[in-house]
Amino acid sequence: MDQPTSAAPATAPATSDAGSAGGGAVPDGGRLGARLGPVAMVVAGGLSVQFGSAVAVTIMPSAGAAGVVALRLAAAAVILLAVCRPRVRGYTRADWWTVVAFGLAMAGMNGLFYQSLDRIPLGVAVTLEVLGPLALSVIASRRAMSLVWAALALGGVALLSGGGFDRLDPVGAAYALAAGGCWAAYILFSARTGRRFPQADGLALAMAVAALLSLPFGAVGAGGALLEPRTLALGVAVALMSSVLPYTLELLALRRLPAATFAVLMSLEPAIAAVAGFLVLHQALSTTDALAIALVIGASMGAVRSQARRRRRARS
C-alpha cells in the first residue's frame, strides 16, 4: 500500500488501550469516545492515502509515474525535514546504513506502486501490494492457521487474475507484487530505524534518501513537466495527502489504539482504494474483483487477529 507510515498487519507498534486516566474509571460514553477517536484518525489517514494516490494518477499523463514519485517524495522530504529538523550527529555507521536501507525500500515501494497504477486499477494494485505485508505476517507467525489465511489471500489473487494476469496487464500486476515485497522490507527497516532514531527523525532522513534516489528517474522521465505550476501544486497535494497527513494521524492514533485494532483497520486499505478509484478515476470493479478484494482483506484481518490471540496467550 502506498504509504510511508504504514504499520502493516505483521508489525503494528505496540500500544495500550486508552480506557482510563489517572487510574480512575471512565464512563462508558467516554471510553467509547476514546476508542472511536483513534479509529476515525486511522480511517481518515487511509482515505487520505488512497485519494492522494488517485490524485497522483491524474498527473501521470503529463509527468509520468516516475515524475509523480519524484514530486511526492521530494515534497514530503522537504516538509518532514522542516518540521522534524532531525539531528545528524552522533549516529553510528550502522545507524546510517539502516536509514539508507529504509529510504531504498521506501523509494522502491513508491516507484513500483506508481508504475502499477499507470497500468491497473487502484483498488486492484493495492490489493496485490498488501500481499507483501500479509506474507511477512504469515512467515513470522509460523503456525498452521496462517496457512489458511495465505490460502484465502491466494484465492483472492486467483479471482483477480481471472485465470491469467493478462486480463489485468501482467506488467502492472508484477509491479504491484514487487511493491508489496518492498513494503515488507519497508516494515522491517521502519522498525529498526525507529529503535535507532528518536521520534520521526529517522523517517524524515529516510524520506530524504528516497527523494534523492527517485529524483534522477523523475527528471529523465518527465523533464520540464515537473516544473509546470499545476503539476507542482498537485505533487505537493499528493505529498501532503499520501505522506504527511496520514503519518500525523496514525502517530496520534497509535498512542491510544491497540496494535491489533490498528492493523485490522489498515487491512481495509484495498477497499478504500477501490472506492477512491471509482470516485476520482471512474474505475469500476466487477463483482468478481470486489469478491477478490474482500478475500484478501479477510485474510489480512484473520492473520492479525490470530497473532493478537497468540500474543495474549503467551503473556498469560
Side-chain angles (χ1 to χ4, degrees):
M1 166 193 320
D2 162 42
Q3 67 180 62
T5 60
S6 58
T11 56
T15 54
S16 59
D17 287 302
S20 61
V26 177
D28 289 343
R31 188 178 294 111
L32 179 62
R35 287 185 179 274
L36 290 181
V39 168
M41 290 179 189
V42 176
V43 174
L47 288 168
S48 183
V49 167
Q50 301 308 334
F51 277 88
S53 295
V55 171
V57 174
T58 67
I59 318 174
M60 287 183 184
S62 59
V68 173
V69 172
L71 276 177
R72 173 193 164 171
L73 293 178
V78 169
I79 294 169
L80 286 174
L81 289 172
V83 172
C84 298
R85 296 184 181 181
R87 179 171 57 88
V88 295
R89 295 177 183 236
Y91 297 113
T92 66
R93 182 176 297 180
D95 295 335
W96 286 112
W97 275 118
T98 300
V99 160
V100 170
F102 187 20
L104 182 61
M106 190 184 300
M109 178 179 68
N110 284 278
L112 292 166
F113 179 74
Y114 278 93
Q115 288 292 339
S116 74
L117 288 188
D118 206 20
R119 295 167 172 83
I120 60 178
L122 175 59
V124 174
V126 174
T127 302
L128 293 173
E129 188 193 22
V130 84
L131 294 178
L134 177 58
L136 182 62
S137 176
V138 169
I139 293 169
S141 177
R142 298 178 182 176
R143 295 178 67 86
M145 191 62 191
S146 298
L147 298 178
V148 175
W149 307 126
L152 192 64
L154 289 176
V157 172
L159 281 178
L160 277 180
S161 69
F165 276 112
D166 54 322
R167 182 182 73 88
L168 283 178
D169 183 321
V171 176
Y175 275 131
L177 291 170
C182 288
W183 190 7
Y186 168 93
I187 292 165
L188 296 174
F189 285 111
S190 174
R192 294 180 186 178
T193 301
R195 290 192 293 266
R196 292 175 179 269
F197 291 82
Q199 298 177 346
D201 287 12
L203 175 69
L205 293 169
M207 188 72 75
V209 171
L212 290 174
L213 290 171
S214 64
L215 278 172
F217 296 98
V220 171
L226 290 178
L227 301 178
E228 293 178 0
R230 177 183 177 275
T231 302
L232 276 175
L234 288 176
V236 173
V238 169
L240 289 170
M241 294 174 69
S242 297
S243 299
V244 179
L245 180 59
Y247 171 73
T248 303
L249 291 172
E250 290 169 15
L251 187 65
L252 292 173
L254 278 167
R255 292 174 179 171
R256 295 183 284 164
L257 199 63
T261 303
F262 177 84
V264 167
L265 291 170
M266 294 297 291
S267 300
L268 297 175
E269 294 279 345
I272 298 174
V275 172
F278 175 74
L279 293 178
V280 179
L281 305 172
H282 309 294
Q283 296 174 341
L285 296 177
S286 68
T287 303
T288 301
D289 290 337
L291 177 59
I293 291 172
L295 286 175
V296 174
I297 291 173
S300 297
M301 289 182 173
V304 169
R305 302 307 298 178
S306 293
Q307 284 205 12
R309 284 194 296 269
R310 182 167 62 90
R311 291 192 185 104
R312 285 197 295 269
R313 285 196 297 266
R315 286 196 297 265
S316 61

